[in-house]
Amino acid sequence: MPHAAAQLDTEAVDRWLSVHLPGYRGPLTAEKFAAGQSNPTFLLHAASGDYVLRRKPPGQLLKSAHAVDREFRVQKALAGTDVPVARMHLLCEDEGVIGSVFYVMQAVDGRAIPTPDMPGATPAERRAVFAELGRVLAAIHAVDIDAVGLSDFGPPGNYFRRQTDRWTRQYRASETQPIPDMDALIGWLDANMPEDDGQRRLVHGDFRIDNLLFAPDGPACVAVLDWELSTIGHPYADLAALIMQWAMPPGGEGRGLAGLDRTALGIPSDADFIAQYCAARGLPGIDRMNFYLAFAFFRMGAILQGVLKRALDGNASNPALAMRLGDAVPDFAAKGLEAACG
């Protein structure tokens, strides 16, 4: 839920929108969403309607992080495809307006599902939502990147090699103390890197149930959100990241399914979900899933290390939550090693 605006000059945004957004009418008020550690997000209320604004956070940032311009581009490109996205209105690359790059998009009327255990839902409702989750993931990976103008959205070559190198650099740049398991996991990924199999697809980069909005009265997804980490790469990274999330403890911070009776809840097993995904994409199966899962744990650990570093530097969107998330980095490293051995 949003709360009182912070980190946003609403008067400056109002002036800018009055000039650049056709049909816009102020005055403007804003509420900041508590969710989201990376790019501060605001619900804007104006006489002409509601909008959503996402901006880069203030302060010194790691190179290539908080890419709201990429978020804007990919969602604009996906309009009219089978991937549900919010309508993109405007991108402002003039940092002089509010101090950072930002974009404004449609405020989608949708239902957030914060955790995959879906408390209060029936087994049938959970089955329908998880089927939709798999359908949307397959739809993302089925996008014709040439047709939508995204063929240059990521460099060619071995995606997992590229991403392992990138997140190792990001991790080292934000490292605050030695974590032996993280060092060991980086070494294992280097030594077990798969050959490039030629799959070059759009990947979301942070695909999980709480980054989707669903219809208020049904399981249909109405918008996939938070595309900051999207690129052209390997689809198994998205799939593994989703499976990795489910290995976390249930509840608001773990947002996982560990220890739950998934059959009784109406939630597919990891193997069944992977099989459904493969069927949707016409794949016979997936080899070396242990590597993809180990990579997913490593990548999330590196991301959370960056969150911790921003909290320590005073630049986190939600400092208390950022500190707690950062404390989980050693656990992600350990789970990555477990997955590697699986």
Side-chain angles (χ1 to χ4, degrees):
M1 293 296 292
H3 56 73
Q7 298 182 319
L8 186 67
D9 184 341
T10 53
E11 292 183 2
V13 174
D14 180 57
R15 289 193 298 269
W16 191 84
L17 291 176
S18 295
V19 173
H20 294 93
L21 181 59
Y24 172 81
R25 288 182 295 109
L28 177 72
T29 60
E31 301 171 85
K32 184 175 182 291
F33 287 94
Q37 282 301 301
S38 189
N39 294 319
T41 306
F42 303 85
L43 178 62
L44 308 181
H45 302 289
S48 53
D50 290 345
Y51 311 88
V52 170
L53 181 149
R54 273 171 73 80
R55 64 170 298 177
K56 288 190 176 187
Q60 188 69 32
L61 305 175
L62 292 173
K63 183 181 178 181
S64 80
H66 312 283
V68 296
D69 52 337
R70 287 177 63 83
E71 283 193 336
F72 181 86
R73 179 186 171 188
V74 68
Q75 290 174 97
K76 191 172 180 66
L78 289 173
T81 70
D82 289 337
V83 181
V85 289
R87 179 187 174 195
M88 296 295 104
H89 289 309
L90 292 168
L91 172 68
C92 178
E93 297 182 280
D94 180 0
E95 296 185 2
V97 177
I98 63 169
S100 69
V101 176
F102 68 91
Y103 70 89
V104 177
M105 63 180 173
Q106 168 195 15
V108 177
D109 181 17
R111 171 173 58 106
I113 300 179
T115 58
D117 53 337
M118 298 177 60
T122 66
E125 289 168 341
R126 293 189 187 93
R127 274 191 293 272
V129 165
F130 273 77
E132 178 72 348
L133 199 64
R135 183 198 71 79
V136 172
L137 184 60
I140 292 172
H141 298 158
V143 168
D144 184 334
I145 59 174
D146 295 322
V148 301
L150 291 175
S151 57
D152 65 341
F153 197 59
N158 189 321
Y159 172 79
F160 288 104
R161 176 76 275 166
R162 185 171 87 232
Q163 286 283 296
T164 299
D165 290 346
R166 174 194 174 185
W167 287 108
T168 298
R169 289 193 300 269
Q170 298 279 52
Y171 173 73
R172 297 303 183 197
S174 57
E175 195 171 10
T176 53
Q177 64 179 359
I179 301 177
D181 280 351
M182 197 65 159
D183 295 335
L185 181 55
I186 291 170
W188 186 91
L189 291 170
D190 281 337
N192 291 274
M193 189 65 56
E195 296 293 327
D196 187 3
D197 65 0
Q199 291 197 63
R200 193 167 186 268
R201 304 280 181 166
L202 176 64
V203 295
H204 179 273
D206 196 15
F207 189 85
R208 58 180 196 244
I209 200 167
D210 52 306
N211 277 336
L212 278 64
L213 288 178
F214 296 85
D217 57 355
C221 175
V222 294
V224 182
L225 307 174
D226 200 358
W227 290 84
E228 178 200 347
L229 298 175
S230 61
T231 188
I232 302 303
H234 203 292
Y236 296 167
D238 273 345
L239 178 63
L242 189 61
I243 301 299
M244 174 212 71
Q245 187 68 51
W246 296 341
M248 297 294 104
E253 290 195 8
R255 293 177 296 190
L257 298 169
L260 301 180
D261 186 342
R262 287 162 66 164
T263 300
L265 291 172
I267 297 173
S269 66
D270 291 348
D272 286 343
F273 187 87
I274 292 170
Q276 292 168 12
Y277 167 85
C278 289
R281 288 199 57 213
L283 302 171
I286 297 176
D287 294 327
R288 299 193 62 187
M289 195 68 195
N290 66 316
F291 175 89
Y292 306 124
L293 282 172
F295 168 81
F297 280 110
F298 155 72
R299 180 173 168 276
M300 184 54 65
I303 290 170
L304 295 181
Q305 184 64 41
V307 171
L308 175 62
K309 184 65 161 58
R310 287 198 302 278
L312 294 173
D313 290 346
N315 296 325
S317 177
N318 184 332
L321 178 58
M323 292 295 291
R324 292 199 301 275
L325 292 174
D327 287 342
V329 175
D331 187 44
F332 275 88
K335 289 183 181 299
L337 287 175
E338 291 174 13
C341 298

